[in-house]
Amino acid sequence: EGTVAVDLAGLHLGPADASLLAGLIRSGARALAGAVSLSVLGNPAMGAEGVQTLVGAVEQTPSVVSLVGVLEGQRILNLSGKGLGPVDAEVLTAEFRLGRESARLTVLDVSRNSLFPAGVVGIGDSSTLAAAGGGGGKTKGPLAASAAEGQAQQLLGALQRSTCLERLDLSESGMRAED
């Protein structure tokens, strides 16, 4: 059967669209029957509220295997230079917290995106973390209480729980390396 891919990336979805999509997911509409991989990246107007609405529906629907377009069996996800922003950082955090298909990724590249304001958080001595799930790639140094830094910390925490992730490229994502 395989996974049905539903690409909603960059369609200017807002909170109302996220609510409608969440309703479809919850109702088990035929269009979303079977294993479904959604991609909702690149929709900044959706905002945190829209992301949380979608995540709530996806948490209750095991057949939705991804919010960022990861397909069953996929091991590499290259999102480099896709114009992703802070809302996408929230989507990525939710994706890795759900731990569905993305939990099997071995390589994630989110470089050359504006996930965070420049220099938001220190991540050790390199912006490419190796063996994130195997104890490497730990954050280093104190993190300030700003919302952006909290969001960065949440994303890194979710990524570190991914036991298969061998390579994570966060270069030019708004995070800065700490000496």
Side-chain angles (χ1 to χ4, degrees), residues 105-158:
L105 290 174
T106 57
V107 176
L108 174 62
D109 185 346
V110 291
S111 64
R112 297 180 16 242
N113 286 294
S114 299
L115 295 174
F116 309 101
V120 76
V121 65
I123 58 170
D125 59 3
S126 172
S127 57
T128 300
L129 304 178
K138 299 290 184 189
T139 57
K140 181 173 146 183
L143 297 175
S146 76
E149 287 185 349
Q151 185 180 27
Q153 186 177 20
Q154 288 176 14
L155 176 56
L156 287 172

Side-chain angles (χ1 to χ4, degrees), residues 36-60:
V36 177
S37 174
L38 298 174
S39 179
V40 297
L41 294 169
N43 289 295
M46 190 166 42
E49 178 184 334
V51 171
Q52 290 310 310
T53 299
L54 274 178
V55 169
V58 170
E59 285 175 335
Q60 301 169 12

Side-chain angles (χ1 to χ4, degrees), residues 2 15 21 28 32 40 42 49 53 56 60-62 64 75-76 89 97 100 102 106 118 137-138 148 151 158 164:
L21 182 57
L32 298 176
V40 297
E49 178 184 334
T53 299
Q60 301 169 12
T61 314
V64 178
R75 298 296 174 254
I76 297 171
R97 280 190 177 153
R100 297 191 181 161
S102 61
T106 57
K138 299 290 184 189
Q151 185 180 27
C164 293

Side-chain angles (χ1 to χ4, degrees), residues 8 12 18 46 57 87 142 163 177:
L8 302 172
H12 308 287
M46 190 166 42
V87 169
T163 59

